[in-house]
Amino acid sequence: MAERVISTGGLTSSERVTGTQSLEKAVDILEYIASAPRPGVTLAECTGILGYSKATTQRMLLTLARRNLLHFDEDLGVYSLGMLTAKLGAEYLSRLDTRKAALPVMRDIVQETGETAHLGVLSGKDVVYIELVDSPQPIRIFSKVGDSIPAYATAIGKSILAQLPSDVRQRHLPESLSGRTPNTLTTFESLHRDLAHTRERGYAIDNGENREGIRGFAAPIFDFSGAVCAGLSLGGPTARVEAEEDERRFGDLVTRAARRVSQVLGAPGA
Protein backbone atom coordinates (compact mmCIF):
# COMPACT_ATOMS: atom_id res chain seq x y z
CA MET A 1 0.00 0.00 0.00
CA ALA A 2 1.37 3.42 -0.89
CA GLU A 3 2.55 5.61 1.95
CA ARG A 4 0.45 8.67 2.72
CA VAL A 5 2.15 11.89 1.65
CA ILE A 6 1.64 14.95 3.81
CA SER A 7 0.40 18.17 2.26
CA THR A 8 3.31 19.82 0.47
CA GLY A 9 2.11 23.38 0.90
CA GLY A 10 4.15 24.50 -2.08
CA LEU A 11 7.28 22.51 -1.22
CA THR A 12 9.72 21.34 -3.82
CA SER A 13 9.65 17.69 -4.82
CA SER A 14 12.76 17.02 -2.72
CA GLU A 15 10.89 18.27 0.35
CA ARG A 16 7.80 16.10 -0.13
CA VAL A 17 8.18 13.47 2.54
CA THR A 18 6.01 10.64 3.74
CA GLY A 19 4.46 10.68 7.19
CA THR A 20 6.99 8.09 8.34
CA GLN A 21 9.97 10.08 7.06
CA SER A 22 8.61 13.24 8.64
CA LEU A 23 8.21 11.46 11.99
CA GLU A 24 11.77 10.16 11.80
CA LYS A 25 13.01 13.69 11.15
CA ALA A 26 11.03 14.95 14.14
CA VAL A 27 12.62 12.30 16.37
CA ASP A 28 16.05 13.21 14.97
CA ILE A 29 15.59 16.84 15.93
CA LEU A 30 14.31 15.95 19.41
CA GLU A 31 17.37 13.78 20.01
CA TYR A 32 19.67 16.54 18.70
CA ILE A 33 18.12 19.20 20.92
CA ALA A 34 18.21 16.86 23.93
CA SER A 35 21.97 16.39 23.53
CA ALA A 36 22.78 20.02 22.65
CA PRO A 37 24.26 22.37 25.28
CA ARG A 38 22.03 24.95 26.92
CA PRO A 39 20.23 27.21 26.31
CA GLY A 40 19.01 25.49 23.14
CA VAL A 41 19.18 25.23 19.35
CA THR A 42 18.40 27.87 16.76
CA LEU A 43 16.13 27.52 13.74
CA ALA A 44 19.20 27.74 11.48
CA GLU A 45 20.86 24.81 13.27
CA CYS A 46 17.69 22.73 13.02
CA THR A 47 17.40 23.54 9.32
CA GLY A 48 20.90 22.21 8.77
CA ILE A 49 20.18 19.02 10.70
CA LEU A 50 16.92 18.26 8.89
CA GLY A 51 18.02 19.29 5.43
CA TYR A 52 14.68 21.00 4.75
CA SER A 53 14.03 24.59 3.81
CA LYS A 54 13.76 27.14 6.61
CA ALA A 55 9.98 27.38 6.16
CA THR A 56 9.48 23.61 6.32
CA THR A 57 11.74 23.27 9.36
CA GLN A 58 9.93 26.07 11.15
CA ARG A 59 6.55 24.41 10.57
CA MET A 60 7.84 21.16 12.05
CA LEU A 61 9.32 22.94 15.07
CA LEU A 62 6.13 24.92 15.66
CA THR A 63 4.10 21.69 15.57
CA LEU A 64 6.41 20.10 18.15
CA ALA A 65 6.18 23.25 20.27
CA ARG A 66 2.37 23.28 20.11
CA ARG A 67 2.38 19.73 21.46
CA ASN A 68 4.79 20.79 24.23
CA LEU A 69 7.52 18.47 22.98
CA LEU A 70 9.63 21.61 22.39
CA HIS A 71 9.79 25.01 24.05
CA PHE A 72 10.71 28.16 22.11
CA ASP A 73 12.47 30.94 23.99
CA GLU A 74 11.50 34.13 22.16
CA ASP A 75 14.17 36.23 23.87
CA LEU A 76 17.03 33.90 22.94
CA GLY A 77 15.53 32.56 19.71
CA VAL A 78 16.29 28.94 20.60
CA TYR A 79 14.36 25.69 20.97
CA SER A 80 14.75 23.36 23.94
CA LEU A 81 12.86 20.30 25.16
CA GLY A 82 9.27 20.93 26.26
CA MET A 83 7.34 19.87 29.34
CA LEU A 84 5.73 16.90 27.61
CA THR A 85 9.12 15.22 27.23
CA ALA A 86 9.58 15.44 31.01
CA LYS A 87 6.10 14.01 31.57
CA LEU A 88 6.71 11.13 29.17
CA GLY A 89 10.11 10.42 30.71
CA ALA A 90 8.71 10.46 34.24
CA GLU A 91 5.89 8.13 33.22
CA TYR A 92 8.35 5.74 31.58
CA LEU A 93 10.57 5.69 34.66
CA SER A 94 7.62 5.22 37.02
CA ARG A 95 6.44 2.24 35.04
CA LEU A 96 9.91 0.72 35.07
CA ASP A 97 10.08 1.19 38.84
CA THR A 98 6.65 -0.40 39.28
CA ARG A 99 7.63 -3.39 37.15
CA LYS A 100 10.87 -3.83 39.04
CA ALA A 101 9.08 -3.67 42.38
CA ALA A 102 6.25 -5.97 41.32
CA LEU A 103 8.06 -8.76 39.49
CA PRO A 104 9.46 -10.65 42.55
CA VAL A 105 6.07 -10.43 44.25
CA MET A 106 4.32 -11.70 41.14
CA ARG A 107 6.68 -14.65 40.91
CA ASP A 108 5.97 -15.52 44.54
CA ILE A 109 2.19 -15.62 44.13
CA VAL A 110 2.40 -17.58 40.88
CA GLN A 111 4.62 -20.13 42.61
CA GLU A 112 2.17 -20.34 45.51
CA THR A 113 -1.01 -20.67 43.44
CA GLY A 114 0.07 -21.98 40.04
CA GLU A 115 -2.01 -19.28 38.32
CA THR A 116 -1.10 -16.26 36.15
CA ALA A 117 -0.21 -12.83 37.54
CA HIS A 118 -0.55 -9.57 35.58
CA LEU A 119 0.61 -6.02 36.27
CA GLY A 120 -1.38 -3.34 34.46
CA VAL A 121 -1.72 0.42 34.27
CA LEU A 122 -4.54 2.67 33.17
CA SER A 123 -4.03 4.23 29.74
CA GLY A 124 -6.99 6.31 28.64
CA LYS A 125 -10.02 4.06 28.80
CA ASP A 126 -7.98 0.85 28.72
CA VAL A 127 -5.74 -1.21 30.93
CA VAL A 128 -2.36 -2.06 29.42
CA TYR A 129 -0.37 -5.02 30.72
CA ILE A 130 3.19 -3.95 31.49
CA GLU A 131 4.34 -7.20 33.10
CA LEU A 132 3.12 -10.78 33.56
CA VAL A 133 4.25 -14.05 35.05
CA ASP A 134 2.71 -17.08 33.36
CA SER A 135 1.15 -20.01 35.11
CA PRO A 136 3.16 -23.23 34.81
CA GLN A 137 -0.09 -25.06 34.00
CA PRO A 138 -0.67 -26.27 30.42
CA ILE A 139 -4.15 -24.70 30.49
CA ARG A 140 -3.79 -21.04 31.47
CA ILE A 141 -4.55 -17.45 30.53
CA PHE A 142 -2.92 -16.52 27.24
CA SER A 143 -1.90 -12.87 27.18
CA LYS A 144 1.18 -10.75 26.61
CA VAL A 145 2.81 -7.55 27.73
CA GLY A 146 1.29 -4.68 25.75
CA ASP A 147 -2.20 -6.16 25.53
CA SER A 148 -4.84 -3.45 25.91
CA ILE A 149 -8.31 -4.17 27.34
CA PRO A 150 -11.24 -1.90 28.34
CA ALA A 151 -10.69 -1.03 32.00
CA TYR A 152 -14.30 -1.62 33.07
CA ALA A 153 -14.13 -5.29 31.97
CA THR A 154 -11.00 -6.32 33.87
CA ALA A 155 -10.15 -6.91 37.50
CA ILE A 156 -7.06 -4.69 37.21
CA GLY A 157 -9.07 -1.91 35.60
CA LYS A 158 -11.80 -2.06 38.22
CA SER A 159 -9.27 -2.13 41.06
CA ILE A 160 -7.79 1.14 39.75
CA LEU A 161 -11.09 2.79 38.79
CA ALA A 162 -12.47 2.13 42.27
CA GLN A 163 -9.72 4.32 43.77
CA LEU A 164 -10.24 7.33 41.51
CA PRO A 165 -12.41 10.37 42.26
CA SER A 166 -15.68 10.14 40.36
CA ASP A 167 -14.85 12.98 37.95
CA VAL A 168 -11.47 11.45 37.08
CA ARG A 169 -12.96 7.96 36.79
CA GLN A 170 -15.53 9.17 34.28
CA ARG A 171 -12.75 10.23 31.91
CA HIS A 172 -11.53 6.65 31.83
CA LEU A 173 -14.90 5.17 30.89
CA PRO A 174 -16.47 4.96 27.41
CA GLU A 175 -19.83 6.53 26.62
CA SER A 176 -21.40 3.08 26.73
CA LEU A 177 -20.32 -0.29 28.11
CA SER A 178 -20.16 -3.06 25.53
CA GLY A 179 -20.59 -6.69 26.49
CA ARG A 180 -17.39 -8.64 25.86
CA THR A 181 -18.98 -11.76 27.38
CA PRO A 182 -22.39 -12.54 28.86
CA ASN A 183 -20.94 -11.60 32.28
CA THR A 184 -19.66 -8.13 31.36
CA LEU A 185 -21.19 -5.30 33.36
CA THR A 186 -22.97 -3.26 30.68
CA THR A 187 -24.76 -0.60 32.74
CA PHE A 188 -23.08 2.21 34.66
CA GLU A 189 -25.32 1.46 37.63
CA SER A 190 -24.03 -2.10 37.92
CA LEU A 191 -20.44 -1.00 37.32
CA HIS A 192 -20.51 1.72 39.97
CA ARG A 193 -22.10 -0.71 42.41
CA ASP A 194 -19.32 -3.19 41.68
CA LEU A 195 -16.66 -0.49 42.15
CA ALA A 196 -18.17 0.43 45.52
CA HIS A 197 -17.90 -3.23 46.61
CA THR A 198 -14.35 -3.27 45.31
CA ARG A 199 -13.38 -0.32 47.50
CA GLU A 200 -14.99 -1.95 50.54
CA ARG A 201 -13.26 -5.33 50.25
CA GLY A 202 -9.96 -4.00 48.83
CA TYR A 203 -9.85 -6.05 45.64
CA ALA A 204 -11.76 -6.40 42.37
CA ILE A 205 -13.21 -9.52 40.79
CA ASP A 206 -13.40 -10.33 37.09
CA ASN A 207 -15.98 -13.08 36.91
CA GLY A 208 -15.49 -13.97 33.26
CA GLU A 209 -16.27 -10.38 32.24
CA ASN A 210 -13.41 -10.03 29.78
CA ARG A 211 -13.05 -13.65 28.66
CA GLU A 212 -15.47 -16.47 29.27
CA GLY A 213 -14.09 -19.17 31.52
CA ILE A 214 -11.50 -16.92 33.15
CA ARG A 215 -11.79 -15.61 36.72
CA GLY A 216 -9.40 -13.00 38.11
CA PHE A 217 -8.79 -10.96 41.25
CA ALA A 218 -6.87 -7.68 41.39
CA ALA A 219 -5.78 -5.10 43.95
CA PRO A 220 -4.55 -1.54 43.49
CA ILE A 221 -0.92 -0.44 43.82
CA PHE A 222 -0.13 3.03 45.21
CA ASP A 223 2.95 5.18 44.63
CA PHE A 224 4.92 7.39 47.02
CA SER A 225 2.33 10.16 46.75
CA GLY A 226 -0.49 7.83 47.77
CA ALA A 227 -2.04 7.87 44.30
CA VAL A 228 -3.11 4.65 42.61
CA CYS A 229 -0.60 3.91 39.85
CA ALA A 230 -1.24 0.29 38.80
CA GLY A 231 -3.08 -2.91 39.57
CA LEU A 232 -1.87 -6.45 40.23
CA SER A 233 -4.03 -9.42 39.33
CA LEU A 234 -4.06 -13.16 39.78
CA GLY A 235 -6.34 -15.40 37.78
CA GLY A 236 -6.95 -18.56 35.87
CA PRO A 237 -9.56 -20.83 34.33
CA THR A 238 -12.83 -21.09 36.25
CA ALA A 239 -12.33 -24.86 36.33
CA ARG A 240 -9.48 -24.26 38.80
CA VAL A 241 -10.45 -20.92 40.34
CA GLU A 242 -13.77 -21.44 42.07
CA ALA A 243 -15.96 -18.41 42.73
CA GLU A 244 -16.76 -19.12 46.39
CA GLU A 245 -13.91 -21.37 47.51
CA ASP A 246 -11.08 -19.28 46.04
CA GLU A 247 -12.44 -15.74 46.32
CA ARG A 248 -11.25 -15.08 49.86
CA ARG A 249 -7.95 -16.89 49.34
CA PHE A 250 -7.07 -15.23 46.03
CA GLY A 251 -8.49 -11.87 47.09
CA ASP A 252 -6.45 -11.78 50.29
CA LEU A 253 -3.35 -13.02 48.50
CA VAL A 254 -3.48 -10.42 45.73
CA THR A 255 -4.27 -7.66 48.25
CA ARG A 256 -1.21 -8.53 50.33
CA ALA A 257 0.90 -8.77 47.17
CA ALA A 258 -0.21 -5.33 45.95
CA ARG A 259 0.49 -3.89 49.40
CA ARG A 260 4.03 -5.29 49.28
CA VAL A 261 4.62 -3.56 45.95
CA SER A 262 3.14 -0.31 47.30
CA GLN A 263 5.53 -0.49 50.26
CA VAL A 264 8.51 -0.80 47.92
CA LEU A 265 7.24 2.24 46.00
CA GLY A 266 7.04 4.22 49.25
CA ALA A 267 3.26 4.50 49.49
CA PRO A 268 2.25 6.15 52.78
CA GLY A 269 0.58 3.75 55.19
CA ALA A 270 1.16 0.70 52.98
Side-chain angles (χ1 to χ4, degrees):
M1 183 174 71
E3 293 182 275
R4 183 175 65 87
V5 179
I6 63 173
S7 174
T8 61
L11 305 181
T12 65
S13 60
S14 63
E15 292 175 324
R16 296 174 186 174
V17 294
T18 65
T20 299
Q21 290 172 322
S22 182
L23 180 58
E24 288 178 348
K25 289 288 189 179
V27 173
D28 286 344
I29 207 65
L30 287 172
E31 290 182 338
Y32 179 78
I33 291 174
S35 62
R38 296 179 181 180
V41 179
T42 65
L43 172 59
E45 289 177 280
C46 293
T47 301
I49 293 297
L50 293 174
Y52 294 163
S53 70
K54 180 179 177 180
T56 302
T57 301
Q58 189 170 40
R59 280 197 292 271
M60 177 177 287
L61 295 176
L62 288 175
T63 298
L64 293 172
R66 279 198 301 270
R67 300 305 299 269
N68 290 321
L69 286 164
L70 289 180
H71 169 72
F72 180 64
D73 188 316
E74 293 185 3
D75 294 331
L76 299 176
V78 296
Y79 290 88
S80 58
L81 292 182
M83 287 299 298
L84 183 57
T85 61
K87 181 180 178 182
L88 294 173
E91 179 65 18
Y92 173 74
L93 291 175
S94 71
R95 293 188 182 193
L96 284 183
D97 290 343
T98 305
R99 290 176 65 185
K100 183 177 179 180
L103 192 54
V105 177
M106 295 167 69
R107 287 171 176 157
D108 286 346
I109 60 176
V110 170
Q111 183 176 16
E112 181 174 344
T113 63
E115 302 301 345
T116 299
H118 289 90
L119 179 68
V121 295
L122 202 57
S123 178
K125 295 174 173 56
D126 296 334
V127 158
V128 178
Y129 294 144
I130 61 172
E131 188 58 271
L132 70 87
V133 177
D134 270 326
S135 163
Q137 307 274 7
I139 300 176
R140 61 185 186 274
I141 300 173
F142 286 97
S143 54
K144 63 182 183 298
V145 171
D147 280 352
S148 179
I149 304 163
Y152 69 88
T154 69
I156 286 180
K158 291 193 293 182
S159 73
I160 298 173
L161 291 172
Q163 301 299 322
L164 298 176
S166 58
D167 58 331
V168 177
R169 182 192 311 140
Q170 197 60 39
R171 297 201 294 268
H172 294 285
L173 293 173
E175 293 183 2
S176 61
L177 308 180
S178 301
R180 296 174 65 85
T181 76
N183 288 343
T184 306
L185 302 176
T186 55
T187 68
F188 287 106
E189 181 182 359
S190 62
L191 176 63
H192 292 316
R193 187 165 54 246
D194 187 272
L195 296 178
H197 292 160
T198 295
R199 282 193 299 274
E200 291 172 5
R201 64 178 171 245
Y203 59 88
I205 301 174
D206 170 3
N207 188 27
E209 295 157 44
N210 177 51
R211 293 190 222 171
E212 288 190 74
I214 298 295
R215 184 171 290 115
F217 305 85
I221 294 171
F222 301 91
D223 64 16
F224 66 92
S225 71
V228 62
C229 62
L232 191 154
S233 72
L234 184 65
T238 53
R240 289 199 305 266
V241 184
E242 298 289 340
E244 295 183 3
E245 293 181 11
D246 291 320
E247 177 181 336
R248 178 60 62 87
R249 176 189 172 217
F250 277 66
D252 288 349
L253 183 60
V254 80
T255 300
R256 291 197 304 271
R259 188 176 298 121
R260 285 174 58 192
V261 180
S262 297
Q263 288 172 341
V264 174
L265 296 177

